[in-house]
Amino acid sequence: MDKSSALEYINQMFPTEASLSGVEPLMQKIHGEIRRVDASILSAVRQQSNSGTKAKEDLADATRAVEELSHKIQEIKSKAEQSEAMVQEICRDIKKLDFAKKNITTTITALHRLTMLVSAVEQLQVMASKRQYKEAAAQLEAVNQLCNHFEAYRDVPKITELREKLNNIKQILKSHVFSDFSSLGTGKETEETNLLQQLSDSCLVVDALEPSVREELVNNFCSRELTSYEQIFEGAELAKLDKTERRYAWIKRRIRTNEEIWKIFPASWHVPYRLCIQFCKQTRKQVESILVNMKEKPVVAILLLALQRTVEFEKELEKKFGGGVPTKDIGDDIEKIGTWETNSQNVSKIRKKYEKKFAASQESEENENTGDKDLSVTGAGFNFRGMISSCFEPHLTPYIELEEKTLMDDLEKVVQEETWDIEDGSQNNVLSSSTQLFSNIKKSLKRCSALSKNQTLFNLFKVFQRVLKAYATKLFLKLPKGGTGIVAAATGMDGQIKVSERDEKVICYIVNSAEYCHKTSGELAENVSEIIDPHYADGVDMSEVQDEFSAVITKSLVTLVLGIETKFDTEMLTMTRVPWGTLESVGDQSGYVNGINTILSGSIPVLGNLLTPVYFQFFLDKLASSLGPRFYANIFRCKQLSETGAQQMLLDTQAMKTILLEIPSLARQTSTAASYSKFVSREMSRAEALLKVILSPIDSVADTYRALFSEGTPMEFQRILELKGLKKADQQSILDDFNKHGPGFTQPSVSAAMPQLVPTPPAPPLAMSNPATAAGFIANSEDVLTRAAALGRGAATTGFKKFIALTEAAKDRKDGPLRRLFNA
């Protein structure tokens, strides 16, 4: 430690003069510690010195041991080399003798085998000349094995001579066998009893020869068997489409008749199987030629009968010979199409596009080069399914046309017979025409899938799409229509639609039926994609058809809203005719409110019972989004409001709000979205705020309006002053003050209830504006446009494509009030 630290330590140890008496003991203690440390250091130094000496001695010992080991290794290596040289010297003569013995043994074995080969070839030659097939087959197997031992001696003249002789004998055997088989089927087998046994023995010889001999023999036999078939069915009498069934009867009869005779062939040859393959190829060529050369369109009944018999024949061959991959029975799957489910999970998923889950199990085989494949094993690389029937595919257009005509006729019939009503006790509230339509489609799908799963089935699927679109159009046309007007021209929806109680039920049935068709068409596409050939599976899609039914659902629900709203027209007119400026007292809710309540009480329970929760919620959203802004705009259509009149209208507004909030319970819908209640409260609160502004004193009306309507406009504020009964001279000063301190907006809104949806053109100067004109515009066009804009809210939802397309067309108009509706 430094001096200051040492000084501090001493001061700490001896803080007083009296403590200095302990210096001597402390010094002795320190000296003792120093001596102990020095002794320890000395001992460590001595120990280290001794260890170094010991280490040097150990290192020297190790070095000497390594040198001794290296010397011993060198001695062992030298002795090993001497031993190896000695062994080689001893065994030199033994190796020569061993090689000599091995060569002699090989020579003796080769000569012995050569003798056996020469003898076997001579015996085989005698057997071949006498047509002793059974013995020749065994002898030929032995000769082939002996020849394999002389592969290394191919260049030896004697071996070459023997091989040439053996090949000649094989050719003789082959010619004898082919000559004997030429008599099979000519009737000689009944005259010569031993002929069949001789042919059976000759098959053993064929198996002993090269595989190509067997292939050639079987092909020749099959071709000879089918010669009579070609001659019979190429004639003018039987070369017709309606005689197709007789072709299959011929080959089945031929196989059945000659079954005993053909037992001479080994089972491993699969002669009947090979014969059927060639028969299918030949039949396909002839049937295809008949179809191509037909001068007129074939009769559909004859065409289908021929195709049906062909498919049945192919299935029989598939079952008999086990070729191809067995297909599952699709009848049960088709029957499942259209099974109605009303659970909420299903409803929530109906607008999702079905994903294809088809995994191809195999591909249809139509390749003419099938004969080049290995057909020695039954079913190896060959599939009878579609071998003949596939040639019908390009010629089945008349069948598809007939199916389309039948389905369209059935559609017209079921629509004409439709009562547009639901029987009591029905659970799904779906029109019978929709279920009957899919029943007819399922029958058509069953018929076609039993005949074809390729291009024809795909073409029929296109027919299903057209038929379903036609049905969607008929549902669309059944909806009630209204008069033409400004809203109808702009949005494709009629502004006023009068609907009766029965019309409301019919609209609900149409919604449910379109929903059923939307769901079932997706199931239909999924089922067809599992049935059809994988090449066409990607094109199986019902999204366009589902969009058509979605548009029908959207149009139906909007029509329902417009129909309910049309019923409110009388009550809204009654509201404007109430003498609000001369009311003397505030009483119960007004008569027009009771009228609106009566209308809703009569319609809502029925609609809630018929519509699914999803679509009833959509209906409520559209009704609230239209009725709320309409009630707000209708306040401006009234004349002067006194304080008592404004209070009475405020009471009516609160009653209207209560009525709208109670609609879900009126329809017995327990799972209504909370957004509906919030939306109703927000829309009706605007009307309440407007009436509160009207009730405010003259000197504070501008401040109240600014506080309650942050996006208010001078034009709307001017109309509020008119409702309060102020004269123009009194209005001007208040308007000037409002314009001076207000937000400074220069664009009056068509309806303050929808500022974000209904942008407006610039207003004329306030001093030059005509109040009567402005009031008239609000009282007429504004009301209609507000309703249209409210109904258009949420148009981006799935299923509103048609609505969007119609409104986009109106955007291109460069003038008129509609421009304000679609410029956003």
Side-chain angles (χ1 to χ4, degrees):
M1 64 179 60
D2 54 15
K3 294 181 179 180
S4 59
S5 298
L7 183 62
E8 290 177 359
Y9 176 74
I10 294 173
N11 291 332
Q12 185 179 0
M13 294 295 296
F14 305 102
T16 61
E17 186 176 352
S19 61
L20 294 176
S21 59
V23 171
E24 188 63 27
L26 179 62
M27 291 296 295
Q28 293 177 359
K29 181 180 180 181
I30 292 174
H31 284 301
E33 183 68 21
I34 291 172
R35 285 193 297 272
R36 187 183 65 77
V37 171
D38 289 342
S40 176
I41 293 173
L42 181 60
S43 175
V45 169
R46 289 174 179 174
Q47 185 177 0
Q48 181 66 28
S49 177
N50 294 335
S51 298
T53 304
K54 178 98 169 112
K56 291 180 180 179
E57 293 176 356
D58 292 342
L59 179 61
D61 293 341
T63 303
R64 287 194 297 272
V66 169
E67 291 176 353
E68 292 177 0
L69 179 61
S70 176
H71 180 69
K72 288 181 180 180
I73 291 173
Q74 291 294 333
E75 290 181 354
I76 292 172
K77 184 177 180 181
S78 176
K79 290 180 180 180
E81 291 175 352
Q82 294 175 5
S83 299
E84 183 180 2
M86 186 181 299
V87 170
Q88 289 180 352
E89 183 66 24
I90 294 172
C91 297
R92 182 172 54 189
D93 296 334
I94 297 177
K95 281 187 177 181
K96 292 180 180 180
L97 294 175
D98 184 57
F99 285 136
K101 179 182 177 182
K102 184 178 179 179
N103 292 335
I104 292 173
T105 302
T106 303
T107 304
I108 293 173
T109 303
L111 291 174
H112 180 64
R113 289 176 178 174
L114 180 59
T115 303
M116 294 174 61
L117 178 60
V118 172
S119 176
V121 170
E122 291 177 354
Q123 293 175 15
L124 181 62
Q125 187 174 17
V126 174
M127 295 175 185
S129 61
K130 295 181 179 181
R131 302 196 178 195
Q132 297 174 349
Y133 294 128
K134 191 172 184 179
E135 294 79 2
Q139 191 71 9
L140 186 59
E141 289 287 349
V143 171
N144 288 332
Q145 291 180 6
L146 289 172
C147 286
N148 291 334
H149 293 292
F150 292 97
E151 284 295 329
Y153 307 101
R154 298 179 66 91
D155 298 333
V156 176
K158 183 63 177 178
I159 300 300
T160 303
E161 179 184 350
L162 285 174
R163 285 186 172 277
E164 291 178 355
K165 187 175 182 179
L166 178 60
N167 290 334
N168 293 333
I169 296 172
K170 288 181 178 180
Q171 290 297 325
I172 294 173
L173 285 172
K174 178 181 176 181
S175 62
H176 287 342
V177 170
F178 276 62
S179 176
D180 292 344
F181 266 100
S182 64
S183 61
L184 184 63
T186 60
K188 291 184 178 181
E189 59 271 9
T190 58
E191 300 174 1
E192 302 178 12
T193 56
N194 63 338
L195 178 60
L196 293 180
Q197 182 60 43
Q198 182 179 356
L199 293 178
S200 178
D201 294 340
S202 67
C203 292
L204 301 176
V205 174
V206 173
D207 277 335
L209 295 173
E210 288 76 8
S212 60
V213 177
R214 183 189 63 189
E215 293 292 321
E216 184 180 356
L217 178 63
V218 174
N219 289 334
N220 289 344
F221 170 76
C222 294
S223 300
R224 189 169 66 253
E225 284 290 321
L226 294 177
T227 301
S228 59
Y229 168 73
E230 295 178 7
Q231 295 173 353
I232 293 172
F233 289 95
E234 282 185 353
E237 180 64 24
L238 295 178
K240 296 180 181 179
L241 195 61
D242 56 350
K243 306 295 183 183
T244 304
E245 186 177 4
R246 299 182 63 176
R247 296 173 177 270
Y248 311 132
W250 182 90
I251 188 63
K252 287 188 285 187
R253 184 171 60 251
R254 189 73 175 177
I255 293 176
R256 185 171 57 254
T257 303
N258 297 329
E259 186 174 5
E260 292 297 326
I261 299 176
W262 291 353
K263 286 184 178 179
I264 63 174
F265 297 106
S268 60
W269 288 18
H270 303 293
V271 173
Y273 169 72
R274 298 285 297 275
L275 178 64
C276 289
I277 291 177
Q278 291 199 20
F279 170 81
C280 289
K281 292 182 178 181
Q282 185 63 33
T283 302
R284 176 188 172 90
K285 292 179 180 179
Q286 293 183 353
V287 173
E288 190 170 18
S289 176
I290 293 173
L291 292 170
V292 171
N293 295 326
M294 293 183 71
K295 297 180 180 179
E296 299 178 355
K297 284 187 177 181
V299 179
V300 176
I302 296 176
L303 180 65
L304 293 184
L305 181 60
L307 177 57
Q308 181 181 358
R309 295 293 182 263
T310 301
V311 172
E312 291 174 354
F313 175 69
E314 290 173 347
K315 289 182 178 179
E316 290 179 12
L317 294 181
E318 211 169 50
K319 182 177 180 181
K320 181 178 180 63
F321 299 111
V325 178
T327 56
K328 66 176 183 177
D329 185 8
I330 63 175
D332 294 339
D333 293 339
I334 295 177
E335 286 300 327
K336 292 179 183 178
I337 298 175
T339 302
W340 182 262
E341 298 176 4
T342 57
N343 57 71
S344 58
Q345 183 181 7
N346 178 63
V347 174
S348 65
K349 293 182 178 179
I350 58 176
R351 294 193 179 279
K352 293 183 180 179
K353 187 176 180 180
Y354 287 85
E355 297 181 357
K356 296 175 177 60
K357 56 182 180 179
F358 177 79
S361 60
Q362 65 175 33
E363 296 183 358
S364 297
E365 180 60 56
E366 300 181 18
N367 194 343
E368 289 298 330
N369 296 325
T370 306
D372 298 335
K373 298 180 180 179
D374 182 12
L375 300 176
S376 60
V377 180
T378 305
F382 191 85
N383 184 6
F384 283 105
R385 186 179 38 165
M387 183 59 191
I388 305 175
S389 59
S390 59
C391 71
F392 285 84
E393 290 287 343
H395 308 280
L396 289 176
T397 303
Y399 162 65
I400 297 299
E401 293 174 351
L402 178 62
E403 286 285 358
E404 182 170 9
K405 183 179 183 302
T406 302
L407 289 173
M408 287 297 185
D409 292 342
D410 291 342
L411 174 62
E412 294 292 337
K413 182 179 179 181
V414 296
V415 171
Q416 290 176 3
E417 295 176 353
E418 180 62 70
T419 60
W420 302 101
D421 200 359
I422 303 297
E423 297 180 0
D424 295 336
S426 178
Q427 297 180 352
N428 50 32
N429 295 324
V430 174
L431 295 171
S432 60
S433 58
S434 60
T435 56
Q436 186 61 39
L437 172 62
F438 277 99
S439 176
N440 295 335
I441 288 177
K442 286 189 286 187
K443 293 177 183 177
S444 177
L445 179 58
K446 273 188 176 182
R447 290 193 296 268
C448 184
S449 61
L451 300 175
S452 171
K453 296 180 179 64
N454 297 295
Q455 182 66 47
T456 301
L457 182 57
F458 184 74
N459 293 339
L460 183 64
F461 177 76
K462 295 295 185 182
V463 171
F464 294 160
Q465 289 179 321
R466 293 193 289 270
V467 172
L468 290 172
K469 288 181 180 179
Y471 182 65
T473 302
K474 292 185 180 297
L475 292 179
F476 190 88
L477 296 176
K478 184 60 181 177
L479 295 174
K481 301 296 187 296
T484 58
I486 189 173
V487 178
T491 65
M493 299 181 295
D494 301 324
Q496 288 185 334
I497 299 178
K498 294 182 179 181
V499 293
S500 62
E501 292 182 0
R502 185 180 185 279
D503 291 335
E504 291 176 356
K505 291 183 179 181
V506 171
I507 293 174
C508 293
Y509 297 150
I510 291 176
V511 170
N512 294 335
S513 300
E515 171 68 10
Y516 169 77
C517 295
H518 183 286
K519 169 182 174 291
T520 310
S521 58
E523 293 178 355
L524 176 64
E526 183 179 1
N527 193 271
V528 172
S529 66
E530 293 176 354
I531 297 172
I532 202 168
D533 185 89
H535 291 98
Y536 302 95
D538 291 340
V540 177
D541 186 14
M542 278 286 187
S543 58
E544 292 184 4
V545 174
Q546 290 178 316
D547 289 343
E548 291 286 335
F549 286 111
S550 296
V552 171
I553 294 173
T554 303
K555 174 64 176 178
S556 301
L557 294 173
V558 171
T559 302
L560 196 59
V561 173
L562 292 174
I564 298 294
E565 276 217 335
T566 302
K567 294 182 178 181
F568 296 154
D569 289 347
T570 302
E571 308 304 329
M572 290 295 179
L573 183 61
T574 302
M575 174 182 173
T576 60
R577 292 177 178 177
V578 174
W580 301 104
T582 59
L583 286 181
E584 297 179 356
S585 63
V586 179
D588 294 334
Q589 61 191 35
S590 301
Y592 71 90
V593 178
N594 294 329
I596 292 175
N597 189 25
T598 302
I599 293 172
L600 293 176
S601 299
S603 298
I604 294 300
V606 177
L607 302 181
N609 184 45
L610 294 179
L611 293 176
T612 61
V614 172
Y615 293 125
F616 184 73
Q617 182 64 49
F618 174 82
F619 165 77
L620 288 185
D621 291 343
K622 292 305 168 189
L623 182 63
S625 64
S626 178
L627 184 56
R630 184 182 182 188
F631 184 83
Y632 180 89
N634 208 51
I635 296 176
F636 288 100
R637 298 179 62 185
C638 298
K639 297 181 181 179
Q640 180 180 345
L641 274 71
S642 64
E643 183 176 352
T644 303
Q647 292 176 352
Q648 177 64 46
M649 188 176 290
L650 183 61
L651 186 148
D652 295 342
T653 303
Q654 294 172 349
M656 281 287 297
K657 179 179 179 181
T658 302
I659 291 171
L660 291 176
L661 291 176
E662 290 179 350
I663 285 180
S665 60
L666 188 64
R668 298 178 182 177
Q669 296 282 353
T670 57
S671 59
T672 306
S675 59
Y676 169 74
S677 300
K678 293 181 180 179
F679 184 77
V680 170
S681 300
R682 184 177 71 249
E683 292 299 329
M684 298 309 297
S685 296
R686 291 181 60 81
E688 293 175 352
L690 175 61
L691 293 172
K692 290 178 182 178
V693 173
I694 296 174
L695 286 170
S696 62
I698 297 296
D699 54 352
S700 63
V701 64
D703 294 335
T704 304
Y705 182 72
R706 290 192 193 95
L708 296 179
F709 294 90
S710 58
E711 298 181 358
T713 63
M715 188 175 184
E716 188 176 70
F717 181 66
Q718 181 183 4
R719 184 70 184 108
I720 292 174
L721 297 180
E722 292 175 357
L723 289 175
K724 290 179 67 67
L726 295 179
K727 297 181 181 180
K728 284 195 175 183
D730 299 330
Q731 293 179 20
Q732 193 61 43
S733 60
I734 299 176
L735 286 172
D736 292 341
D737 181 68
F738 177 80
N739 291 331
K740 181 178 180 182
H741 299 91
F745 290 143
T746 59
Q747 291 184 339
S749 64
V750 176
S751 172
M754 306 293 291
Q756 74 279 16
L757 291 177
V758 192
T760 54
L766 191 60
M768 298 179 63
S769 63
N770 189 341
T773 303
F777 178 76
I778 293 177
N780 296 289
S781 301
E782 180 179 345
D783 183 25
V784 178
L785 292 174
T786 300
R787 292 172 60 192
L791 287 171
R793 182 181 299 165
T797 309
T798 303
F800 296 91
K801 295 180 180 178
K802 190 169 185 179
F803 178 81
I804 291 295
L806 292 170
T807 54
E808 286 294 324
K811 282 186 175 183
D812 297 331
R813 300 183 61 177
K814 298 181 179 180
D815 55 359
L818 292 181
R819 183 65 176 174
R820 287 169 289 178
L821 189 61
F822 302 108
N823 262 344

